[in-house]
Amino acid sequence: MTETAAAPRVDLPDVLPSFVHGGWHEPAEATRASAAQVRDASTGAPVTRVTSAGFDAPATVSYAREAGLPALTALTFHQRGMVLKKLGQHLLERAPEYHRISQATGTTAADAQIDVEGGIGTLLAYSSVARRQMPNDVLMLDGAVERLAKDSTFAGAHVWTSAAGVGVQVNAFNFPVWGMLEKLAPMLVAGRPAIVKPATATAQVTWAVVRDIVDSGLLPDGALQLVCGSLDGLFDELGEQDAIAFTGSAATARTLAASPCVVERGTRFTAEADSLNFSLLGPDARPGAPEFELFVDSLVREMTAKAGQKCTAIRRALVPAGSVAEVREAVCERLAAVVVGDPREAGTTMGPLVSAAQREDVLEAVDALIAAGAQAAVGGREASDELARRLRAERGERDGLSERDERGERAGSGASAGDAAHAADAADAVTVGGAFVAPTLLVAEDPWADAIHDVEAFGPVAVLIGYQDLDEAVRLARRGRGSLVGSVVSHDVETVRTVVMGTAPWHGRLLVLDRDDAKRQTGHGSPLPQLIHGGPGRAGGGEELGGLRGVTHFMQRTALQASPQMLGALTHTWIEGAPRHTDGEHPFALSLSELRLGDAIIAGPRTVTLEDIDHFAQFTGDTFYAHTDEEAARANPFFPGRVAHGYLVVSFAAGLFVWPDPGPVLANYGLENLSFITPVSPGDALTVTLTAKQITPREGSDYGEVRWDAQVVNQDGAPVAAYDVLTLVAKERAGARPS
């Protein structure tokens, strides 16, 4: 690449190589002339070129299956999570470099933080999901075990296992880091090697991140491959166990969904496509109300962040018809303070679109909306052209270049003659100066005009739409035919409920914004790793992220039927009906390395007296009538008379099974699934059985978690209470074994 004064201070190759079947693939010299030119979004200067000519699709898929798949699936979920944690820390150290490279794509520092740090944060979030919500194993139970026979000799459960296939990412241009990492993180935890195809316009940012991932040596060979350019022939290699995760236009999604691998061989296909997201201002949010200001701030932020190039940006702003003028005025006032320019210039708050082609697509969409009756309150094609001319002139003055000089510089900077001619043919050279579009607010004359709800201007553009009542507002929101996200800005519960109930079936996510969550809310346009990202209908029907759901999205769920003993052995979980081992040492005296599933202690009985109940009531202050008033307790249809507190039962059970001396058990950190089954009356004798149910060593620590099954019965064998006890246990015993 020929350096210019405005180019990032980062060396990029003249043609981006792909990382496939274990090495960097450089396109043959003869194919480089046909490579797509990537240009600086602000200056039009050449940045790099992209082609996958000569790329071997069969070898790439085979390498993922034969090298990446077995290496990943040999790791436990916790080990995969640890890899993600180290990888996230490694990339965070290099984030400033990704910011600098991103500047050429029109990305401001704030925009880059969403993409870069947001993507890396998703890696770290999924590291936590793997290590906190999944077992240290390669197979995971899904839900409760079902008893399938009366005598507990036959049981069933659902289990998650890694699919025997690869994951192919086809990503959009707007989030070259986050878009890759938000798919890569759950794929890797699921044990699925990834083949990444970035969008050409921003491929250099993705390439830089993949380069650093490869150089880190943290991922197994074949776990990640990168194809810069087209995926010619790759879909022909995909089959029943493979998956495609696509982000982009609905038109491309339809084409990919019709691929033979999807239609004939069952390759899993998910898409995140077009989305005309709405934000609705409630009738209660009049000018001066906190919610009115929140709505305006949110709309302006979503219009200008990433120059509106977000699949989650607000495209349709629904406001009460009587508030249209006030909202219009407030939004225009805020937009007037937006500084559009080169992201490398101090003070710039919104950069250009990613390319001249994208600029023209957006302005054509604006023209279509205006033709449908919308009026430009601010912005539009003429304002955008004037903005581009002004910024070009300012750049020329600053750099001492005339427009003619600038064209000559471009022609001599490594671009082909065809590129130079094309640039010169742009009569007013607006796009030579950058792909700038003025923030554009349109006001719909007819709220039901088809174009308003069908045409997505993927840039700093929103349409203000007045509604007469909430019923119409909900119908207008649904007219988008399925979107990624909607938001309602209101402090009125009934308004919010009406909007949520009316729009939830058509949206993957809904944000309720009001004065109570204003300081902590993450924004209309911010997907979070903990929540699903996707939407029905025209949004593609895909579903990504969502914490653990994002991992299992790339796995296979299977119903498994067997005896409790066999089912427990397969899932590394003790299951009711499997043998218990009660003839050894007290389980609390055993370290994690010594403890085995089914190790148990049966302790008791202990008789509960009326004095115990009275003492517990006075000591704790829990004087609920069922524990203190015989007559009132008998009048309750659930109790035979005064009964013991449930927590007294749990406390007595703990007193029966604990090991009192210092030992491997470090802490009790919780109870789960607690249920009280049979009331305990004075005179009842309690016996508790505690069984090691699940043993989970923690990666990188000298302790792990043990889940114990606790069952308390009375003298008749009737179940009184059941729950899981959670403890932290040292991996090795300190000192001598207790006698």
PDB file of all heavy atoms in Angstrom, residues 366-388:
ATOM      1  N   VAL A 366     -33.047   7.219   0.402  1.00  0.00           N
ATOM      2  CA  VAL A 366     -33.629   8.489   0.840  1.00  0.00           C
ATOM      3  C   VAL A 366     -34.509   9.070  -0.256  1.00  0.00           C
ATOM      4  O   VAL A 366     -35.626   9.545  -0.003  1.00  0.00           O
ATOM      5  CB  VAL A 366     -32.520   9.485   1.240  1.00  0.00           C
ATOM      6  CG1 VAL A 366     -33.095  10.885   1.450  1.00  0.00           C
ATOM      7  CG2 VAL A 366     -31.807   9.008   2.499  1.00  0.00           C
ATOM      8  N   ASP A 367     -34.014   9.020  -1.492  1.00  0.00           N
ATOM      9  CA  ASP A 367     -34.815   9.521  -2.621  1.00  0.00           C
ATOM     10  C   ASP A 367     -36.143   8.766  -2.727  1.00  0.00           C
ATOM     11  O   ASP A 367     -37.196   9.364  -2.986  1.00  0.00           O
ATOM     12  CB  ASP A 367     -34.038   9.365  -3.925  1.00  0.00           C
ATOM     13  CG  ASP A 367     -32.832  10.291  -4.006  1.00  0.00           C
ATOM     14  OD1 ASP A 367     -32.774  11.260  -3.221  1.00  0.00           O
ATOM     15  OD2 ASP A 367     -31.933  10.031  -4.839  1.00  0.00           O
ATOM     16  N   ALA A 368     -36.097   7.440  -2.511  1.00  0.00           N
ATOM     17  CA  ALA A 368     -37.317   6.631  -2.603  1.00  0.00           C
ATOM     18  C   ALA A 368     -38.299   7.003  -1.495  1.00  0.00           C
ATOM     19  O   ALA A 368     -39.525   7.056  -1.715  1.00  0.00           O
ATOM     20  CB  ALA A 368     -36.962   5.151  -2.518  1.00  0.00           C
ATOM     21  N   LEU A 369     -37.795   7.275  -0.315  1.00  0.00           N
ATOM     22  CA  LEU A 369     -38.661   7.660   0.791  1.00  0.00           C
ATOM     23  C   LEU A 369     -39.301   9.025   0.540  1.00  0.00           C
ATOM     24  O   LEU A 369     -40.485   9.234   0.829  1.00  0.00           O
ATOM     25  CB  LEU A 369     -37.864   7.669   2.093  1.00  0.00           C
ATOM     26  CG  LEU A 369     -37.401   6.291   2.593  1.00  0.00           C
ATOM     27  CD1 LEU A 369     -36.365   6.437   3.702  1.00  0.00           C
ATOM     28  CD2 LEU A 369     -38.597   5.483   3.092  1.00  0.00           C
ATOM     29  N   ILE A 370     -38.529   9.935  -0.015  1.00  0.00           N
ATOM     30  CA  ILE A 370     -39.073  11.258  -0.337  1.00  0.00           C
ATOM     31  C   ILE A 370     -40.108  11.151  -1.457  1.00  0.00           C
ATOM     32  O   ILE A 370     -41.154  11.806  -1.423  1.00  0.00           O
ATOM     33  CB  ILE A 370     -37.928  12.221  -0.711  1.00  0.00           C
ATOM     34  CG1 ILE A 370     -37.085  12.528   0.541  1.00  0.00           C
ATOM     35  CG2 ILE A 370     -38.476  13.509  -1.315  1.00  0.00           C
ATOM     36  CD1 ILE A 370     -35.851  13.364   0.272  1.00  0.00           C
ATOM     37  N   ALA A 371     -39.832  10.288  -2.416  1.00  0.00           N
ATOM     38  CA  ALA A 371     -40.803  10.083  -3.496  1.00  0.00           C
ATOM     39  C   ALA A 371     -42.110   9.513  -2.973  1.00  0.00           C
ATOM     40  O   ALA A 371     -43.178   9.723  -3.573  1.00  0.00           O
ATOM     41  CB  ALA A 371     -40.207   9.138  -4.546  1.00  0.00           C
ATOM     42  N   ALA A 372     -42.036   8.807  -1.833  1.00  0.00           N
ATOM     43  CA  ALA A 372     -43.244   8.230  -1.235  1.00  0.00           C
ATOM     44  C   ALA A 372     -43.987   9.226  -0.357  1.00  0.00           C
ATOM     45  O   ALA A 372     -44.983   8.873   0.271  1.00  0.00           O
ATOM     46  CB  ALA A 372     -42.865   6.998  -0.416  1.00  0.00           C
ATOM     47  N   GLY A 373     -43.498  10.453  -0.299  1.00  0.00           N
ATOM     48  CA  GLY A 373     -44.214  11.492   0.429  1.00  0.00           C
ATOM     49  C   GLY A 373     -43.530  12.002   1.670  1.00  0.00           C
ATOM     50  O   GLY A 373     -44.024  12.947   2.306  1.00  0.00           O
ATOM     51  N   ALA A 374     -42.402  11.421   2.045  1.00  0.00           N
ATOM     52  CA  ALA A 374     -41.685  11.922   3.217  1.00  0.00           C
ATOM     53  C   ALA A 374     -41.001  13.245   2.884  1.00  0.00           C
ATOM     54  O   ALA A 374     -40.580  13.468   1.747  1.00  0.00           O
ATOM     55  CB  ALA A 374     -40.656  10.896   3.682  1.00  0.00           C
ATOM     56  N   GLN A 375     -40.891  14.105   3.874  1.00  0.00           N
ATOM     57  CA  GLN A 375     -40.230  15.394   3.688  1.00  0.00           C
ATOM     58  C   GLN A 375     -38.962  15.438   4.529  1.00  0.00           C
ATOM     59  O   GLN A 375     -38.948  14.959   5.662  1.00  0.00           O
ATOM     60  CB  GLN A 375     -41.156  16.534   4.099  1.00  0.00           C
ATOM     61  CG  GLN A 375     -42.429  16.625   3.266  1.00  0.00           C
ATOM     62  CD  GLN A 375     -43.337  17.745   3.740  1.00  0.00           C
ATOM     63  OE1 GLN A 375     -43.097  18.361   4.769  1.00  0.00           O
ATOM     64  NE2 GLN A 375     -44.382  18.010   2.971  1.00  0.00           N
ATOM     65  N   ALA A 376     -37.918  16.018   3.957  1.00  0.00           N
ATOM     66  CA  ALA A 376     -36.647  16.102   4.668  1.00  0.00           C
ATOM     67  C   ALA A 376     -36.668  17.285   5.635  1.00  0.00           C
ATOM     68  O   ALA A 376     -36.702  18.445   5.223  1.00  0.00           O
ATOM     69  CB  ALA A 376     -35.494  16.241   3.684  1.00  0.00           C
ATOM     70  N   ALA A 377     -36.654  16.975   6.924  1.00  0.00           N
ATOM     71  CA  ALA A 377     -36.542  18.035   7.922  1.00  0.00           C
ATOM     72  C   ALA A 377     -35.117  18.547   7.977  1.00  0.00           C
ATOM     73  O   ALA A 377     -34.874  19.731   8.235  1.00  0.00           O
ATOM     74  CB  ALA A 377     -36.969  17.514   9.291  1.00  0.00           C
ATOM     75  N   VAL A 378     -34.179  17.653   7.732  1.00  0.00           N
ATOM     76  CA  VAL A 378     -32.765  18.011   7.674  1.00  0.00           C
ATOM     77  C   VAL A 378     -32.067  16.908   6.897  1.00  0.00           C
ATOM     78  O   VAL A 378     -32.483  15.754   6.911  1.00  0.00           O
ATOM     79  CB  VAL A 378     -32.160  18.157   9.096  1.00  0.00           C
ATOM     80  CG1 VAL A 378     -32.163  16.827   9.828  1.00  0.00           C
ATOM     81  CG2 VAL A 378     -30.758  18.736   9.054  1.00  0.00           C
ATOM     82  N   GLY A 379     -31.013  17.275   6.178  1.00  0.00           N
ATOM     83  CA  GLY A 379     -30.251  16.288   5.427  1.00  0.00           C
ATOM     84  C   GLY A 379     -30.825  16.031   4.051  1.00  0.00           C
ATOM     85  O   GLY A 379     -31.432  16.908   3.429  1.00  0.00           O
ATOM     86  N   GLY A 380     -30.597  14.824   3.536  1.00  0.00           N
ATOM     87  CA  GLY A 380     -31.019  14.471   2.189  1.00  0.00           C
ATOM     88  C   GLY A 380     -29.861  14.509   1.206  1.00  0.00           C
ATOM     89  O   GLY A 380     -28.709  14.773   1.571  1.00  0.00           O
ATOM     90  N   ARG A 381     -30.169  14.272  -0.066  1.00  0.00           N
ATOM     91  CA  ARG A 381     -29.112  14.164  -1.080  1.00  0.00           C
ATOM     92  C   ARG A 381     -28.366  15.479  -1.279  1.00  0.00           C
ATOM     93  O   ARG A 381     -27.132  15.508  -1.283  1.00  0.00           O
ATOM     94  CB  ARG A 381     -29.697  13.682  -2.410  1.00  0.00           C
ATOM     95  CG  ARG A 381     -28.631  13.511  -3.501  1.00  0.00           C
ATOM     96  CD  ARG A 381     -29.227  13.012  -4.799  1.00  0.00           C
ATOM     97  NE  ARG A 381     -29.597  11.607  -4.732  1.00  0.00           N
ATOM     98  CZ  ARG A 381     -28.761  10.600  -4.970  1.00  0.00           C
ATOM     99  NH1 ARG A 381     -27.480  10.847  -5.246  1.00  0.00           N
ATOM    100  NH2 ARG A 381     -29.185   9.364  -4.923  1.00  0.00           N
ATOM    101  N   GLU A 382     -29.087  16.574  -1.456  1.00  0.00           N
ATOM    102  CA  GLU A 382     -28.395  17.841  -1.717  1.00  0.00           C
ATOM    103  C   GLU A 382     -27.515  18.252  -0.542  1.00  0.00           C
ATOM    104  O   GLU A 382     -26.372  18.694  -0.727  1.00  0.00           O
ATOM    105  CB  GLU A 382     -29.424  18.937  -2.023  1.00  0.00           C
ATOM    106  CG  GLU A 382     -30.124  18.769  -3.364  1.00  0.00           C
ATOM    107  CD  GLU A 382     -31.027  19.944  -3.686  1.00  0.00           C
ATOM    108  OE1 GLU A 382     -30.984  20.945  -2.934  1.00  0.00           O
ATOM    109  OE2 GLU A 382     -31.766  19.873  -4.683  1.00  0.00           O
ATOM    110  N   ALA A 383     -28.032  18.090   0.667  1.00  0.00           N
ATOM    111  CA  ALA A 383     -27.235  18.441   1.843  1.00  0.00           C
ATOM    112  C   ALA A 383     -26.006  17.541   1.955  1.00  0.00           C
ATOM    113  O   ALA A 383     -24.921  17.999   2.348  1.00  0.00           O
ATOM    114  CB  ALA A 383     -28.085  18.324   3.100  1.00  0.00           C
ATOM    115  N   SER A 384     -26.157  16.268   1.569  1.00  0.00           N
ATOM    116  CA  SER A 384     -25.032  15.331   1.635  1.00  0.00           C
ATOM    117  C   SER A 384     -23.983  15.665   0.586  1.00  0.00           C
ATOM    118  O   SER A 384     -22.773  15.591   0.850  1.00  0.00           O
ATOM    119  CB  SER A 384     -25.539  13.894   1.453  1.00  0.00           C
ATOM    120  OG  SER A 384     -26.417  13.534   2.503  1.00  0.00           O
ATOM    121  N   ASP A 385     -24.421  16.033  -0.609  1.00  0.00           N
ATOM    122  CA  ASP A 385     -23.468  16.415  -1.653  1.00  0.00           C
ATOM    123  C   ASP A 385     -22.706  17.677  -1.247  1.00  0.00           C
ATOM    124  O   ASP A 385     -21.487  17.782  -1.440  1.00  0.00           O
ATOM    125  CB  ASP A 385     -24.204  16.657  -2.975  1.00  0.00           C
ATOM    126  CG  ASP A 385     -24.675  15.364  -3.624  1.00  0.00           C
ATOM    127  OD1 ASP A 385     -24.262  14.283  -3.144  1.00  0.00           O
ATOM    128  OD2 ASP A 385     -25.449  15.427  -4.598  1.00  0.00           O
ATOM    129  N   GLU A 386     -23.419  18.644  -0.688  1.00  0.00           N
ATOM    130  CA  GLU A 386     -22.768  19.872  -0.250  1.00  0.00           C
ATOM    131  C   GLU A 386     -21.770  19.585   0.875  1.00  0.00           C
ATOM    132  O   GLU A 386     -20.665  20.152   0.914  1.00  0.00           O
ATOM    133  CB  GLU A 386     -23.818  20.884   0.224  1.00  0.00           C
ATOM    134  CG  GLU A 386     -23.246  22.196   0.737  1.00  0.00           C
ATOM    135  CD  GLU A 386     -22.360  22.894  -0.285  1.00  0.00           C
ATOM    136  OE1 GLU A 386     -22.637  22.789  -1.508  1.00  0.00           O
ATOM    137  OE2 GLU A 386     -21.372  23.546   0.134  1.00  0.00           O
ATOM    138  N   LEU A 387     -22.153  18.688   1.786  1.00  0.00           N
ATOM    139  CA  LEU A 387     -21.255  18.302   2.870  1.00  0.00           C
ATOM    140  C   LEU A 387     -19.984  17.673   2.310  1.00  0.00           C
ATOM    141  O   LEU A 387     -18.862  18.012   2.733  1.00  0.00           O
ATOM    142  CB  LEU A 387     -21.968  17.315   3.803  1.00  0.00           C
ATOM    143  CG  LEU A 387     -21.102  16.634   4.867  1.00  0.00           C
ATOM    144  CD1 LEU A 387     -20.643  17.648   5.906  1.00  0.00           C
ATOM    145  CD2 LEU A 387     -21.887  15.504   5.543  1.00  0.00           C
ATOM    146  N   ALA A 388     -20.132  16.760   1.357  1.00  0.00           N
ATOM    147  CA  ALA A 388     -18.965  16.094   0.782  1.00  0.00           C
ATOM    148  C   ALA A 388     -18.052  17.086   0.068  1.00  0.00           C
ATOM    149  O   ALA A 388     -16.821  17.010   0.175  1.00  0.00           O
ATOM    150  CB  ALA A 388     -19.417  14.990  -0.184  1.00  0.00           C
TER     151      ALA A 388
END
